[in-house]
Amino acid sequence: MSERLVPVPEVDKISFSGEEEKVIELWKKLDVFHSCLKQSKDRPRFTFFDGPPFATGLPHYGHILAGTIKDVVTRWAHQTGHHVERRFGWDTHGLPVEYEIDKTHGINGPEDVAKMGIKKYNELCRSIVTRYADEWEVIISRLGRWIDFKNDYKTLYPWYMETIWWVFSQLYQKGLVYRGFKVMPFSTACSTPLSNFEAGQNYKDTQDPSVVVNFPLLDEPSVVLVAWTTTPWTLPSNLGLCVNPEMDYVKVQGKTKERNGTYIMMEARLCQLFKDETEYDVLKKYKGKDLEGIRYQPLFDYFKQKANDGAFKVLCDGYVSSDAGTGVVHQAPYFGEDDFRVCLGYGIVTRDEKPICPVDDAGRFVLPVTDFKGIHVKDADPDIIKLLRSQGRVVQADRVNHSYPFCWRSDTPLIYRAVPSWFIRVEQMQEKLLATNEKTYWVPSFVKDKRFANWLSDARDWAVSRNRYWGTPIPLWVSEDFTEIVCVGSISELEKLSGEKVTDLHRDNIDHITIPSAKPGNPPLKRISEVFDCWFESGSMPYAQVHYPFENKREFEDCFPADFIAEGIDQTRGWFYTLLVISTALFGKPPFKNLIANGLILAEDGQKMSKRKKNYPDPIEVVNKYGADALRLYLTNSPSVRGENLRFKEADVFNLLKEVFIPWLNAYRFFVQQVERYQKDEGKLFQFEETEMGKSVNVMDRWIVSFTQTLLSFVHREMSAYHLYTVTPRLVKFVDNLTNWYVRFNRKRLKGDTGKEDCLRALETLYAVLFCMVRVMAPFTPFITETMYQNLKRALKPGSLGKGDTSSVHYLMVPQPVEKLICPEIEACVNILQSVVELGRYLRDKVNIPVKYPLPEVVVIHKDRKILEDVLRLESYIKEELNVKTVTTSTDKEKYGVALRADMNFKVLGSRLKGDMKKVQQKVGELTDDEIQQMLNSGSINILGHTIDSCDLNVKYSFSGEKAVELASRYEAHSDDTVLILLDTTPSQEMLDEGLAREVVNRVQKLRKKAKLVPTDEVTVWYHVDEKDIELAPIVATYSEYIENLTKTPFKPISEKDRSSVLIEEVTNIKENCIKLVITQGICPGWSSTVSVVEATVTGGESCPWVNIILDGTPRYGTNSCSATLLLENPIGKPVITSCQQILEEAHGIFGFPLEHGRLYVERKLIDSKTPVASLAGRTIVITYDRNKVPVATSAIKPYSRFVNVEGSGKKGCVVLENPCGDGIMSAKAFTSVVQKILGLDSKPAIFTDLEKKKPLHLNGSSLAKLSGSTVYV
């Protein structure tokens, strides 16, 4: 450390991705991630569980968002003193893999797998599970996420599968496992049942048939019951009709051509068949229970034998509603959960009978449904309707749009179907699940308290078996009649029971293994054919990833539950749910302490992202364009971290790059340039020590340091609450405050224009903030912070970071806030400054007057005098930033005749107000300033009974009173929640001329940038303006010295140009005037005053008697310095200060403290007001206005302010170049004027650097600063 900083190249959007690639190479070279783990191994553990994705596709934005959140939190945990193990996991089993194989190899059902053989099928599955694993590692690593891919876990590892067996065996021993028939969501494309939470993951709006079918009564065939369904394919399996026992039903006679029969249906649902009451006559009314037991004619004869069990009659149940249909619901017990329950209750079906389910696992009709045999049920709908219509059984046929569940993997419609399955008893655990959920902390909290809690309250028993092949086999060995069941909990137990060696647990390796029956003479037990739902595997990952309880038992138990997990909000019915169910069942406690549920990422148009539609940009292309940091910050600064959905917009990533990253990097680049300039000018290496932070008394330095420490405190507090959604906006705001406020407002100080010491304080402050920033931002934007740190650390004093490895920013801890550096008063003061400046900028834009052009005045109005004092305290910044000559403050708005006025927004209110429009318009015009202000505060106002929102009115400022016309022509007004400002927009001709000169400065600086020059490059600018350009030519000549001061570059007529090498030239237009600019290498002869100053006589002190003054308090009047120098005589022999009261008044004029309370001290002793001022010459006077405060003693051997001695006309005097210190050197023009005044000359003097007056003094650029301490001669 303590080396020279490396220059930073010019920044553009293209450079970010390339720089990030360099950082990745550095991380690889240093093995930074694993080094972090080694360094932290003895720290407290922070446990993180990573949900396993499927590797059958590439990562999408959902993975990237969740991965970024996980990375930010785990990096933060590491950099706040924890050891964080981060292992990547892969979900390798189940439908996602099998579906890919089925599509590729044309497998349409179990018979096709049987032909191929399970061994071959599983080999094919195994071959693709890591198809994209390498791409995942490349993409995830490129995004800056640190996670261990080498020490990963895969659900196909035998040791992982063995833990799954152990988990299941524990649940089995607790009596939580049972086998049963249940109507479940069923994927015909994947030939397997799904759990309820899987079915809830992919609802879609779709169009289905809407059919009303009639069922003639057996005893009265001319009367029909009418039932409605959207699943005609279930009608062949109809065994009953259900009504609500407590609702009203009617028998009606239809009176239209289409509806001329006699129908029985719910009274509240007559609208299903009839438009109004004129289309039917009510013949009779019933309660639903009166219809119970009425028998009807079946639609089909396939199951007519079930009439002996009570089928084909009216049943009653309260689940029938009046929301849709006819109020009569057709019952197909093996295709509907409620249907099964109701028919079971009436004894129409029993639990142990063979299900009436004429549909195979591929969704095709089988015998006895002969009419539609072999047709997929959804394809059979039109044929069924056609057949029933031919039999006169269709009353109404239409199409309906509704929300329907689709298979989350195959994206095909699910059906509901009774299947034998193995279940985990979840319903009996509901209270425990809710209790363990209460012990967890979620962000956002509403997901836990609403969505997840509601899901738990209605939790159903979990069907964990799947009729598939590639998965962890369920470890149940059973007899043929299921009276004998053995649940195996480990590989060793299976080996012991079977006598066979086991090396792999997949079906093709263990299906042949049998276990001898415990009952003598019975055949051996065989394993059931099912495998586990892959969600059971991922829900067991906390234990399986460490092979618990077979290994790492103590390590796991010490770190369980996990400190943190994160996934998308859709996992409330997926991984979050299965984790909680298994953990609660096993240990009676939650599996995690803290959880972040992010929202979903949609395409820009609000639709789901679709590869087929190509409605989103490729993530890697976005990273290659703008860098991973920009994408990371965009995602973590979006509504998605609050659990809301995000419409992904590539343009917003680019905007973040432009508005945050480029300004941030430019501020860092500017700092490096100014350090280079400082080291060149002072011949001294810049070094920083963190203990020096906060020593500057400059108001803006104290503000940015205070703001940084406040931010640190906020980030630590909010990150401990996992509130990324509050942290990232504040970090973005911090970059804005640093770049657009601190650096912008202190450029002169940082460039050395206010003296060496003040420049050093500013550089130290900016370094402290940048260095703090790279550490606190490192978890969020790991690349740019590493890039900056690798350079910034060169300027650190040796040993500043302690003895540990400091080769990466990610080895460092996030700094803790230093409370003593936080100053809320200064932060509030600068907030006011920002309000005034932003309002002023808005008004300049409004009237189209660029900041380059000076304006006479800005008036700041507020009722609170303290706020106005804060404005004056930073007056110089307001003047410079708004380029105004005067800052005026007032508590009296009426003095300026300014008031709020409201107008109607006719476009918005016209249709609403209708006939009251004119009356309301009149009332709006009569609203007072106070009434309008009250409306703006509350958001609305009531006028003549109408609630008018503030946004419905056009509110403007207007001027009133005698001088209204004059004021309106002079001022523009604007306000925010803080202050009201008036901007005088009537510049004088002199101001317009100065603005034109600033336009020239702007063109010079742009040309320097175009030539890729840095501030330390020595060049000369030559200009030519055609004499016919009468507006620009005289201004360039008059303001040439002013232009040189601002550009710090010689600015000479092109007619004087020497033969120096031309670097760049350009002809440009300024206000329709043409100017040619040429930049040549080197400083032109005679411009620099360095030679003159070296040869000037240095006396070592001011010619005139002087006193230093220090304000022990807060300066106002726009200054930031607390020190100055006053001359007691000037020229020698002519007193300018004759009393202590005069010293106090002069100091008040500089610092703006309360004059009536001011007191003078020398060496901690109060000065008597009668003390002769001559006795104070050469002393340092401390001023305080706090009655109870005795200031510290201080002294100096030379003046604080920079000065130049002058001799001429028999007089000796002195020019103080700055007052107070660091407030900026006076201009060369002002210097000449002061010399003339001191020496009493009638005309502009000729000034020389030698007593013989042979060497004229050339005042150009910043040469006055270099004259400090010298004597010049007139």
Side-chain angles (χ1 to χ4, degrees):
M1 289 188 240
S2 289
E3 309 165 40
R4 287 188 176 274
L5 296 175
V6 176
V8 181
E10 190 173 350
V11 180
D12 58 43
K13 75 180 184 73
I14 302 171
S15 61
F16 282 84
S17 186
E19 288 299 316
E20 289 181 351
E21 296 283 0
K22 293 177 187 175
V23 170
I24 289 175
E25 290 307 310
L26 174 70
W27 288 346
K28 288 179 182 176
K29 178 182 174 183
L30 299 176
D31 194 16
V32 177
F33 173 45
H34 292 102
S35 297
C36 283
L37 295 175
K38 290 173 187 173
Q39 293 169 13
S40 64
K41 65 181 187 302
D42 296 325
R43 296 180 194 163
R45 301 221 162 214
F46 180 92
T47 311
F48 159 68
F49 292 158
D50 193 26
F54 294 105
T56 51
L58 293 172
H60 53 66
Y61 283 105
H63 295 120
I64 292 168
L65 169 61
T68 301
I69 291 171
K70 296 171 190 177
D71 192 56
V72 168
V73 171
T74 52
R75 281 178 181 272
W76 179 268
H78 170 80
Q79 290 190 249
T80 51
H82 297 87
H83 177 74
V84 191
E85 187 179 77
R86 285 156 271 183
R87 295 177 64 197
F88 201 81
W90 298 102
D91 208 339
T92 57
H93 285 151
L95 290 181
V97 181
E98 292 194 5
Y99 186 66
E100 291 293 317
I101 296 301
D102 290 354
K103 279 198 307 181
T104 305
H105 295 272
I107 294 173
N108 297 311
E111 62 275 14
D112 291 334
V113 178
K115 288 177 187 175
M116 176 182 285
I118 293 176
K119 182 176 178 63
K120 175 64 175 175
Y121 186 82
N122 278 359
E123 285 174 357
L124 291 172
C125 290
R126 187 187 294 271
S127 70
I128 70 163
V129 291
T130 56
R131 178 194 292 168
Y132 297 111
D134 291 341
E135 287 91 337
W136 269 79
E137 184 170 357
V138 168
I139 294 170
I140 296 302
S141 301
R142 179 61 189 87
L143 288 159
R145 185 179 177 197
W146 280 358
I147 193 158
D148 196 341
F149 282 95
K150 299 296 181 280
N151 184 31
D152 67 353
Y153 71 86
K154 291 185 176 73
T155 56
L156 59 76
Y157 290 156
W159 51 264
Y160 190 101
M161 297 168 73
E162 184 177 29
T163 294
I164 303 299
W165 278 17
W166 174 83
V167 169
F168 184 75
S169 70
Q170 295 297 299
L171 302 183
Y172 185 84
Q173 290 169 27
K174 291 173 182 280
L176 295 176
V177 177
Y178 71 93
R179 181 179 184 266
F181 276 97
K182 193 171 185 180
V183 176
M184 295 175 59
F186 193 91
S187 171
T188 58
C190 299
S191 300
T192 189
L194 303 180
S195 60
N196 282 303
F197 62 81
E198 285 178 296
Q201 286 189 318
N202 191 22
Y203 265 82
K204 288 186 173 187
D205 288 333
T206 189
Q207 196 174 76
D208 274 321
S210 170
V211 183
V212 176
V213 182
N214 68 52
F215 295 84
L217 305 187
L218 277 181
D219 296 335
E220 196 176 354
S222 62
V223 178
V224 296
L225 289 153
V226 284
W228 171 75
T229 183
T230 57
T231 54
W233 63 267
T234 61
L235 291 172
S237 302
N238 170 265
L239 295 182
L241 297 173
C242 190
V243 298
N244 188 304
E246 302 305 324
M247 288 194 174
D248 294 324
Y249 286 76
V250 290
K251 181 197 291 185
V252 298
Q253 178 63 52
K255 296 164 62 177
T256 67
K257 183 179 180 181
E258 297 82 11
R259 310 275 185 272
N260 57 10
T262 306
Y263 310 103
I264 296 177
M265 61 191 298
M266 187 182 285
E267 185 175 26
R269 294 304 308 161
L270 284 166
C271 58
Q272 178 71 37
L273 296 184
F274 305 104
K275 294 178 182 178
D276 56 51
E277 295 177 0
T278 63
E279 294 189 351
Y280 61 85
D281 289 327
V282 176
L283 305 178
K284 189 174 182 179
K285 290 192 177 185
Y286 316 83
K287 279 293 182 184
K289 58 189 175 185
D290 298 334
L291 301 172
E292 186 177 21
I294 293 178
R295 301 177 68 197
Y296 62 86
Q297 296 176 16
L299 288 172
F300 297 94
D301 293 335
Y302 306 135
F303 305 106
K304 60 185 178 182
Q305 74 279 5
K306 291 300 291 180
N308 299 326
D309 298 321
F312 312 120
K313 64 183 180 182
V314 177
L315 317 174
C316 287
D317 193 86
Y319 90 90
V320 178
S321 75
S322 59
D323 294 340
T326 63
V328 179
V329 181
H330 117 79
Q331 305 290 287
Y334 292 97
F335 297 113
E337 201 169 357
D338 285 316
D339 304 34
F340 183 77
R341 176 180 55 78
V342 172
C343 290
L344 192 66
Y346 276 90
I348 296 171
V349 297
T350 61
R351 289 189 182 277
D352 54 358
E353 74 173 299
K354 184 178 179 181
I356 295 178
C357 184
V359 176
D360 67 12
D361 287 350
R364 296 168 300 207
F365 277 114
V366 295
L367 294 176
V369 181
T370 53
D371 296 297
F372 314 108
K373 181 176 177 287
I375 303 174
H376 190 279
V377 292
K378 299 299 283 185
D379 296 333
D381 279 342
D383 296 335
I384 293 171
I385 295 170
K386 182 179 180 181
L387 178 61
L388 292 175
R389 182 178 274 123
S390 69
Q391 296 172 353
R393 302 296 290 265
V394 175
V395 179
Q396 185 184 64
D398 208 340
R399 304 287 292 178
V400 63
N401 287 308
H402 64 157
S403 184
Y404 191 82
F406 278 62
C407 175
W408 63 277
R409 190 63 227 173
S410 64
D411 210 30
T412 55
L414 298 177
I415 65 171
Y416 281 80
R417 175 174 178 253
V419 289
S421 295
W422 291 89
F423 294 88
I424 305 294
R425 300 184 194 275
V426 176
E427 292 172 26
Q428 70 183 48
M429 295 166 52
Q430 284 178 0
E431 292 303 319
K432 289 182 180 178
L433 290 171
L434 290 166
T436 50
N437 184 44
E438 277 304 306
K439 296 175 184 176
T440 61
Y441 173 79
W442 290 51
V443 175
S445 59
F446 74 82
V447 180
K448 167 192 167 183
D449 298 333
K450 302 292 184 185
R451 180 184 290 213
F452 195 58
N454 292 341
W455 181 252
L456 294 178
S457 298
D458 197 32
R460 308 290 181 85
D461 287 353
W462 178 9
V464 294
S465 59
R466 295 290 178 270
N467 302 325
R468 299 303 301 178
Y469 313 94
W470 177 243
T472 300
I474 295 178
L476 292 175
W477 271 256
V478 301
S479 59
E480 288 185 8
D481 59 2
F482 287 90
T483 57
E484 190 177 358
I485 302 175
V486 173
C487 182
V488 178
S490 68
I491 292 175
S492 61
E493 184 182 357
L494 179 59
E495 290 178 336
K496 183 178 178 181
L497 289 170
S498 67
E500 292 198 34
K501 183 68 177 173
V502 177
T503 56
D504 188 279
L505 294 182
H506 287 93
R507 281 191 64 178
D508 47 296
N509 289 283
I510 66 166
D511 274 5
H512 67 281
I513 296 176
T514 59
I515 295 175
S517 171
K519 298 176 181 178
N522 280 8
L525 309 182
K526 295 180 179 180
R527 197 193 69 80
I528 62 173
S529 63
E530 292 96 328
V531 299
F532 280 113
D533 169 12
C534 60
W535 289 97
F536 189 82
E537 298 181 29
S538 59
S540 301
M541 64 76 54
Y543 333 104
Q545 69 165 342
V546 292
H547 197 205
Y548 179 85
F550 308 102
E551 297 180 79
N552 307 304
K553 193 170 189 297
R554 181 177 175 183
E555 291 89 338
F556 168 78
E557 290 170 357
D558 287 346
C559 298
F560 185 81
D563 291 289
F564 169 68
I565 68 169
E567 291 294 343
I569 199 169
D570 52 331
Q571 293 302 322
T572 48
R573 296 183 176 188
W575 191 53
F576 300 156
Y577 175 71
T578 59
L579 280 174
L580 191 76
V581 168
I582 293 172
S583 177
T584 302
L586 287 178
F587 303 113
K589 59 183 178 181
F592 55 84
K593 299 173 187 174
N594 304 288
L595 180 153
I596 296 178
N598 60 264
L600 304 181
I601 300 186
L602 307 174
E604 188 170 346
D605 59 4
Q607 295 186 29
K608 188 176 179 181
M609 286 187 170
S610 166
K611 288 182 183 177
R612 181 176 53 82
K613 294 180 181 177
K614 297 182 180 178
N615 59 352
Y616 65 93
D618 180 81
I620 286 301
E621 287 182 12
V622 171
V623 170
N624 289 337
K625 282 183 184 178
Y626 314 116
D629 277 341
L631 180 58
R632 287 170 64 106
L633 197 62
Y634 169 69
L635 293 174
T636 54
N637 192 39
S638 72
S640 55
V641 291
R642 299 194 301 269
E644 300 172 16
N645 291 345
L646 166 67
R647 290 189 178 193
F648 186 90
K649 298 178 182 177
E650 184 179 345
D652 288 348
V653 182
F654 179 48
N655 289 337
L656 196 69
L657 187 77
K658 287 192 302 182
E659 295 164 12
V660 177
F661 288 93
I662 290 178
W664 181 10
L665 208 54
N666 276 332
Y668 155 71
R669 180 173 181 254
F670 178 72
F671 166 77
V672 172
Q673 288 175 339
Q674 297 317 312
V675 167
E676 184 182 358
R677 179 205 51 75
Y678 172 85
Q679 292 176 157
K680 179 180 178 182
D681 288 353
E682 305 300 335
K684 181 181 178 183
L685 194 64
F686 175 84
Q687 279 189 334
F688 179 79
E689 191 170 6
E690 205 146 18
T691 54
E692 298 293 312
M693 185 171 65
K695 289 195 174 181
S696 174
V697 296
N698 178 278
V699 172
M700 291 301 284
D701 288 351
R702 291 177 64 193
W703 165 69
I704 195 64
V705 168
S706 176
F707 188 85
T708 303
Q709 299 306 312
T710 300
L711 176 79
L712 268 180
S713 179
F714 176 83
V715 174
H716 275 283
R717 181 174 66 253
E718 293 298 286
M719 284 300 290
S720 67
Y722 297 88
H723 288 166
L724 271 69
Y725 60 87
T726 62
V727 171
T728 42
R730 283 286 284 268
L731 293 174
V732 170
K733 176 65 178 173
F734 179 71
V735 175
D736 174 66
N737 271 338
L738 176 71
T739 58
N740 292 330
W741 295 97
Y742 180 76
V743 172
R744 184 185 178 111
F745 279 36
N746 291 274
R747 290 182 80 86
K748 289 185 177 179
R749 295 177 61 228
L750 292 160
K751 288 180 176 181
D753 292 358
T754 57
K756 169 187 170 184
E757 289 303 315
D758 195 42
C759 171
L760 185 58
R761 294 288 86 79
L763 287 173
E764 286 174 342
T765 300
L766 183 52
Y767 182 93
V769 172
L770 285 170
F771 190 60
C772 178
M773 193 174 177
V774 296
R775 287 174 288 170
V776 76
M777 289 286 282
F780 298 86
T781 53
F783 293 102
I784 191 173
T785 51
E786 186 75 271
T787 298
M788 290 183 183
Y789 171 75
Q790 291 301 322
N791 202 17
L792 289 173
K793 70 178 182 179
R794 295 168 174 268
L796 279 173
K797 202 167 185 178
S800 296
L801 296 177
K803 297 180 180 179
D805 190 346
T806 59
S807 53
S808 169
V809 70
H810 302 289
Y811 294 162
L812 309 183
M813 295 298 100
V814 175
Q816 293 292 326
V818 181
E819 297 295 331
K820 67 180 182 179
L821 296 179
I822 297 177
C823 182
E825 179 190 348
I826 285 182
E827 290 190 45
C829 183
V830 175
N831 281 341
I832 297 296
L833 163 73
Q834 290 173 320
S835 288
V836 172
V837 169
E838 286 174 341
L839 291 170
R841 288 174 181 166
Y842 168 83
L843 290 176
R844 273 187 172 274
D845 288 343
K846 180 183 174 185
V847 296
N848 197 26
I849 300 179
V851 178
K852 299 182 188 73
Y853 290 83
L855 291 175
E857 180 189 33
V858 62
V859 181
V860 182
I861 300 173
H862 198 283
K863 293 179 180 179
D864 190 338
R865 289 188 180 276
K866 174 66 175 64
I867 286 178
L868 296 180
E869 287 175 5
D870 287 342
V871 170
L872 291 176
R873 185 176 173 183
L874 297 170
E875 178 184 10
S876 63
Y877 289 111
I878 295 172
K879 284 181 176 179
E880 183 169 352
E881 188 58 30
L882 291 183
N883 196 9
V884 293
K885 299 299 182 183
T886 307
V887 176
T888 305
T889 60
S890 176
T891 59
D892 187 5
K893 188 164 69 171
E894 285 72 27
K895 173 183 173 183
Y896 289 89
V898 64
L900 289 169
R901 176 173 60 84
D903 292 326
M904 294 278 286
N905 187 332
F906 292 97
K907 189 175 181 180
V908 173
L909 293 173
S911 58
R912 274 175 49 194
L913 299 178
K914 296 180 180 175
D916 288 343
M917 170 65 82
K918 287 189 177 180
K919 294 178 184 177
V920 174
Q921 181 184 3
Q922 182 181 346
K923 289 291 183 183
V924 168
E926 295 169 358
L927 290 175
T928 65
D929 181 86
D930 288 341
E931 287 172 331
I932 296 173
Q933 192 62 60
Q934 189 175 351
M935 176 198 68
L936 292 173
N937 293 338
S938 65
S940 65
I941 189 171
N942 190 285
I943 300 176
L944 300 177
H946 297 280
T947 299
I948 309 293
D949 293 334
S950 57
C951 59
D952 295 338
L953 299 180
N954 298 319
V955 177
K956 300 175 182 177
Y957 279 102
S958 63
F959 294 92
S960 58
E962 295 178 4
K963 297 183 178 181
V965 175
E966 178 189 342
L967 291 168
S969 64
R970 180 179 174 187
Y971 291 110
E972 289 286 336
H974 195 40
S975 72
D976 62 7
D977 294 338
T978 311
V979 292
L980 163 66
I981 75 160
L982 307 179
L983 186 66
D984 187 339
T985 56
T986 56
S988 65
Q989 186 58 48
E990 184 181 353
M991 293 177 187
L992 292 171
D993 291 348
E994 185 182 321
L996 215 52
R998 280 185 175 236
E999 294 273 15
V1000 176
V1001 170
N1002 172 263
R1003 301 307 193 278
V1004 170
Q1005 301 292 41
K1006 283 184 175 178
L1007 194 58
R1008 285 183 63 110
K1009 185 176 182 180
K1010 197 171 180 181
K1012 301 189 182 303
L1013 297 173
V1014 296
T1016 51
D1017 290 334
E1018 294 185 344
V1019 295
T1020 299
V1021 178
W1022 310 89
Y1023 70 88
H1024 172 71
V1025 181
D1026 199 307
E1027 290 181 3
K1028 67 181 181 183
D1029 290 326
I1030 56 174
E1031 184 181 5
L1032 186 60
I1035 290 172
V1036 170
T1038 305
Y1039 283 86
S1040 60
E1041 190 176 302
Y1042 172 83
I1043 295 167
E1044 287 179 336
N1045 279 327
L1046 290 182
T1047 61
K1048 291 188 172 56
T1049 308
F1051 186 72
K1052 299 294 179 184
I1054 209 164
S1055 58
E1056 300 175 13
K1057 181 180 173 297
D1058 56 20
R1059 296 184 177 179
S1060 301
S1061 174
V1062 174
L1063 299 175
I1064 193 170
E1065 60 180 272
E1066 185 175 79
V1067 176
T1068 185
N1069 288 319
I1070 298 175
K1071 297 281 185 180
E1072 298 181 359
N1073 296 283
C1074 198
I1075 183 171
K1076 180 177 183 178
L1077 298 173
V1078 178
I1079 298 180
T1080 60
Q1081 198 151 14
I1083 300 291
C1084 65
W1087 182 81
S1088 175
S1089 62
T1090 306
V1091 176
S1092 301
V1093 173
V1094 169
E1095 295 177 0
T1097 306
V1098 179
T1099 64
E1102 288 179 334
S1103 301
C1104 304
W1106 53 270
V1107 292
N1108 281 330
I1109 55 173
I1110 291 178
L1111 177 66
D1112 189 5
T1114 304
R1116 297 175 185 175
Y1117 290 174
T1119 186
N1120 304 305
S1121 174
C1122 294
S1123 57
T1125 299
L1126 299 178
L1127 299 177
L1128 303 179
E1129 298 177 7
N1130 199 18
I1132 295 174
K1134 181 182 178 181
V1136 290
I1137 294 179
T1138 58
S1139 68
C1140 291
Q1141 180 61 27
Q1142 222 177 329
I1143 292 176
L1144 207 55
E1145 290 170 358
E1146 289 288 332
H1148 168 73
I1150 296 171
F1151 299 124
F1153 56 85
L1155 183 60
E1156 63 273 19
H1157 300 311
R1159 290 176 297 163
L1160 307 180
Y1161 287 81
V1162 171
E1163 298 294 330
R1164 297 174 62 88
K1165 293 179 182 178
L1166 184 65
I1167 301 174
D1168 188 278
S1169 60
K1170 297 179 181 178
T1171 301
V1173 293
S1175 67
L1176 299 174
R1179 308 293 295 274
T1180 297
I1181 299 172
V1182 179
I1183 302 173
T1184 179
Y1185 50 88
D1186 185 340
R1187 294 178 180 177
N1188 301 317
K1189 188 172 184 179
V1190 177
V1192 295
T1194 183
S1195 61
I1197 60 172
K1198 63 179 183 179
Y1200 286 149
S1201 298
R1202 287 176 280 184
F1203 64 93
V1204 174
N1205 291 322
V1206 295
E1207 294 184 18
S1209 301
K1211 299 175 184 178
K1212 292 184 178 181
C1214 184
V1215 179
V1216 178
L1217 300 176
E1218 58 178 353
N1219 243 353
C1221 298
D1223 212 40
I1225 297 287
M1226 66 171 56
S1227 68
K1229 185 177 180 181
F1231 175 78
T1232 305
S1233 177
V1234 172
V1235 169
Q1236 183 179 345
K1237 184 178 179 182
I1238 291 170
L1239 300 181
L1241 305 175
D1242 294 329
S1243 59
K1244 182 177 178 181
I1247 303 174
F1248 301 87
T1249 61
D1250 62 323
L1251 188 58
E1252 291 76 22
K1253 302 176 185 174
K1254 294 180 179 179
K1255 299 175 181 176
L1257 175 64
H1258 300 286
L1259 291 176
N1260 302 81
S1262 58
S1263 57
L1264 256 181
K1266 299 176 182 178
L1267 273 175
S1268 180
S1270 305
T1271 300
V1272 297
Y1273 302 89
V1274 176

